Amino acid sequence: MNSIVILNSLILIGIIISAILTVKFDNLLSSIIALGITGAFVALEFILLHAPDVAIAEAAVGAVLSPVIFIITLKKVKEGKER
Amino acid sequence: MIEFVYVGIFYAILAIILLFRVLKGPSVVDRAVAGDSIDILTAVALISFAVFSNRSIYLDIALVIAILGFIGTVLIARYLEGRL
């Protein structure tokens, strides 16, 4: 049980670091990449809390669908022209 | 069967090390490659936890993360190329 606690702590550290990086980047495309990383860590944390259906929905929506929608939005706004 | 949790802890540590490449990448391409690697390592840690808990529905989430993370990386590359 102690190993499960250590794994939970590591995943929570990853969620916190990637969420802080999401807010503090200046380039918008880098912020979108950090958002996708945050979704992947949150899906793993839902698995560790024994909720598989919520984790499937999170991995489909939070890790892929939201960054794709934000990339299409960034293309239409034409803000990330500096690359 | 607790050794698979140790393997999961190892891959979680590797994913947290890759977050510093996301922090200090000189360009966006480095961050995109690090994000794809973090998706793959997350899927591997999840497979290890599925073997630990003797429950086969956890493998489906690993499949979803592996396939759809690849699709997200392809769309980031297509955006950087300019042909989205």
Side-chain angles (χ1 to χ4, degrees):
Chain A
M1 183 58 71
N2 196 6
S3 302
I4 304 296
V5 173
I6 293 171
L7 187 57
N8 271 309
S9 301
L10 288 173
I11 298 304
L12 287 175
I13 288 169
I15 290 171
I16 290 169
I17 292 173
S18 58
I20 290 172
L21 287 180
T22 305
V23 181
K24 292 185 71 68
F25 274 140
D26 290 332
N27 190 8
L28 290 177
L29 187 59
S30 301
S31 179
I32 290 169
I33 292 168
L35 180 68
I37 294 168
T38 308
F41 277 118
V42 170
L44 183 54
E45 180 63 32
F46 280 140
I47 285 297
L48 292 177
L49 294 175
H50 301 290
D53 299 329
V54 185
I56 290 175
E58 174 64 32
V61 175
V64 177
L65 192 62
S66 301
V68 166
I69 290 172
F70 280 121
I71 285 171
I72 293 171
T73 307
L74 191 63
K75 172 70 176 177
K76 289 185 182 297
V77 171
K78 292 180 175 63
E79 181 63 32
K81 294 291 286 182
E82 66 271 9
R83 293 176 186 176
Chain B
M1 200 57 87
I2 198 69
E3 292 88 2
F4 291 102
V5 181
Y6 296 155
V7 177
I9 288 171
F10 179 70
Y11 282 104
I13 290 171
L14 288 182
I16 290 172
I17 289 171
L18 273 171
L19 279 173
F20 290 100
R21 175 54 55 199
V22 179
L23 190 146
K24 290 175 68 69
S27 66
V28 184
V29 184
D30 296 328
R31 295 187 176 101
V33 172
D36 191 24
S37 300
I38 284 173
D39 288 333
I40 295 168
L41 291 179
T42 304
V44 173
L46 204 147
I47 289 168
S48 299
F49 189 74
V51 173
F52 166 70
S53 64
N54 286 322
R55 194 174 292 272
S56 65
I57 194 169
Y58 295 162
L59 297 174
D60 298 332
I61 298 104
L63 184 68
V64 168
I65 287 176
I67 293 173
L68 272 69
F70 171 73
I71 292 174
T73 306
V74 166
L75 262 79
I76 291 170
R78 186 66 64 91
Y79 174 75
L80 287 173
E81 191 178 9
R83 291 195 294 115
L84 183 63

